Each structure stands twice: as C-alpha cells, then as structure tokens.
Amino acid sequence: MAALWNTRNLTMADAPNPFQLPNITKFKIALCQLSITSDKNQNLDRASRSIRLSVEQGAKLLVLPEMWNCPYSSDYFAKYAEDFDNRDASPTLSMLSEAACCHGITIIGGSLPEWDHGRLYNTCCIFGPDGRLKAKHRKIHLFDIDIPGEISFKESDTFTAGDQPTIVDTEVGRIGIGICHDIRFPELAALYRKRGVDIICYPGAFNVSTGELLWELVQRARAVDNQLFVATCSPSRNSTGSYTTWGHSTLVGPKESPT
C-alpha cells in the first residue's frame, strides 16, 4: 500500500476555546502516512495520490510526514534538497502548491530538506487553498541521539537549526507548526497557546526506540497541558534502511485519547 491516510472529523466545540470562525464548527483532517522510497518522483506521486484521496473523503486540512520526498538519512538530505526560492528547481514545492490550489485545501507540507545560502534546513511549508505559500517553519530543535547498540544519528551534522516559531492563520483556525523533536519542548507549545493557536501540527519521524517510549506520551502531554489539538504525521515504518521510523500518525484532542 503506497500510503496510509487517516481522516477524522475535528469538532471545535470539543475544545475549551473553540475556533472563532462564523460558519465553521467542524472539519476533517487527513494525516497522510507515506511509504518513502529512494525514488523522489515516486514519493511525489504517492503524496499527490494521497492528497487526492484525502480530499475525496472530505479533508479540509492535510498533514504530510517529516522528510517525505527522500529517505530519512544523511546520505540523501543534500542530494534531495531544493532551493525554495527557485520554483523551477523545486518540484516538491510546485507539486504541493498545485495540489493545494487544485483541491482547495490547506496543506501542512510535512518537511523537506531546504537549501538556502549554502545551508541545509529541515523545513515545513504551509500552502493555502489558493496554492500560495503561507508560511514555512525550520526545525528548531535538531535531533541528536546515541544509544549504543541501537541507534546513532546527529541531525546537527547536516542541518542548521531554525530560530523562529511559526503560526499561520487558515480557514480552519490558527495553527502552530513544529517538526518532530520540537514536540519534546513544552515551551514552544505553551508559546503557541499564548498566541491563540488551536491546533499544533508536528510532522515527525521518531525512530522505533524513542517512538515506543515517547511518541504518544508527548503528544498527549502537549494537548492536555495546553488544552488544544495536536496532530502528528510520520512516514510509514520501513525496516530496510539505516533509520527505522516508528510510524503511528496520530490526532490527540484536549480531552480525549489519541486516534
């Protein structure tokens, strides 16, 4: 199966402070958990199909995984990176923009390796229903881990950290953005809540070691502590590469168990 997508009706009345939108009290969110390959074009095709299928099921907000246009490996990041200021050389951004406009949907574009002035960033792009880039978030907290006998990986060897929180107003509400390891830091979620965010979207690629221990726990903590919704989207698990993702894309509400 090329992709696993999870669509769910999200009711604003379930939250203590509902979205203050005059005509929208309910919308459907899609978490597109993609199976990633080393073929960039195939990854784009799979994402495009997932977006179309999600829209057919009524989704108004769609979230893609962290690093979905390439395998999660330092061997691929620079090779698959794109210059977002040069759309002719950025097929991934072009596809997301066209899909958002064609289907009239807000897309939280997971994350992609971004080249900018000789530096590499782990970046999430957000597109509105008109296809325009509304905002981008560069991963603030880079993931470095060394568990002897299990996993050793240092994002900081490859990426430059971002230094700004990202909030975007959409037709379904005010959304805060984090990427993967950003979820481990409660201060960022608390800042978003103070600024009126109703849902935080975290594209992520937790590995199987930390995923089993923390993935669901930290999502529920961020949702309950701040009384908002938390949506995460991960690549599908693939045990053949050097980095095995945990999967389990999830939506958590302020008063409920994850789904």
Side-chain angles (χ1 to χ4, degrees):
M1 187 176 183
L4 170 68
W5 61 95
N6 177 16
T7 58
R8 185 193 157 187
N9 287 326
L10 200 162
T11 305
M12 296 307 105
D14 292 343
N17 297 300
F19 292 164
Q20 298 301 310
L21 296 177
N23 299 314
I24 299 178
T25 58
K26 191 175 188 179
F27 70 90
K28 186 172 282 189
I29 183 172
L31 309 176
C32 297
Q33 184 167 295
L34 304 175
S35 177
I36 312 303
T37 75
S38 58
D39 185 327
K40 186 175 186 177
N41 290 329
Q42 186 177 45
N43 295 331
L44 295 183
D45 288 342
R46 288 180 174 182
S48 180
R49 288 199 302 271
S50 240
I51 293 169
R52 175 177 55 81
L53 290 168
S54 298
V55 171
E56 289 175 357
Q57 294 188 36
K60 293 298 182 183
L61 175 65
L62 182 140
V63 187
L64 291 169
E66 181 181 21
M67 287 296 157
W68 60 269
N69 77 341
C70 70
Y72 194 88
S73 167
S74 55
D75 295 334
Y76 291 93
F77 295 146
K79 178 181 177 182
Y80 284 63
E82 299 179 8
D83 180 353
F84 295 173
D85 292 329
N86 183 359
R87 287 297 180 89
D88 292 336
S90 185
T92 307
L93 254 65
S94 295
M95 186 279 285
L96 292 175
S97 175
E98 291 170 9
C101 183
C102 176
H103 298 298
I105 188 173
T106 297
I107 296 178
I108 310 299
S111 81
L112 312 166
E114 175 199 10
W115 276 119
D116 185 30
H117 294 89
R119 293 185 175 183
L120 199 61
Y121 296 91
N122 185 341
T123 304
C124 175
C125 294
I126 301 92
F127 291 89
D130 58 0
R132 294 184 180 180
L133 179 65
K134 295 179 71 69
K136 68 179 183 180
H137 175 82
R138 288 171 171 169
K139 188 173 185 177
I140 299 171
H141 305 95
L142 300 180
F143 180 62
D144 291 352
I145 186 172
D146 185 11
I147 302 177
E150 292 191 34
I151 183 173
S152 180
F153 188 86
K154 291 188 69 176
E155 265 192 328
S156 61
D157 285 344
T158 305
F159 290 109
T160 298
D163 59 5
Q164 295 293 326
T166 304
I167 296 172
V168 57
D169 289 312
T170 76
E171 77 285 355
V172 296
R174 176 166 286 190
I175 299 174
I177 305 296
I179 299 175
C180 200
H181 199 46
D182 286 339
I183 200 173
R184 294 285 305 276
F185 295 84
E187 297 85 358
L188 180 61
L191 173 66
Y192 284 154
R193 189 52 181 156
K194 288 179 181 178
R195 296 185 180 179
V197 162
D198 303 282
I199 179 171
I200 307 177
C201 294
Y202 293 99
F206 267 51
N207 63 79
V208 290
S209 298
T210 58
E212 185 174 12
L213 293 171
L214 299 171
W215 181 240
E216 180 181 319
L217 177 65
V218 291
Q219 291 176 66
R220 297 180 71 178
R222 299 295 87 81
V224 172
D225 285 351
N226 299 286
Q227 287 297 284
L228 44 66
F229 290 89
V230 170
T232 60
C233 189
S234 167
S236 297
R237 186 178 304 183
N238 183 348
S239 301
T240 62
S242 59
Y243 185 97
T244 304
T245 53
W246 176 240
H248 297 279
S249 301
T250 312
L251 176 66
V252 183
K255 295 182 179 180
E256 60 186 347
S257 299
T259 58

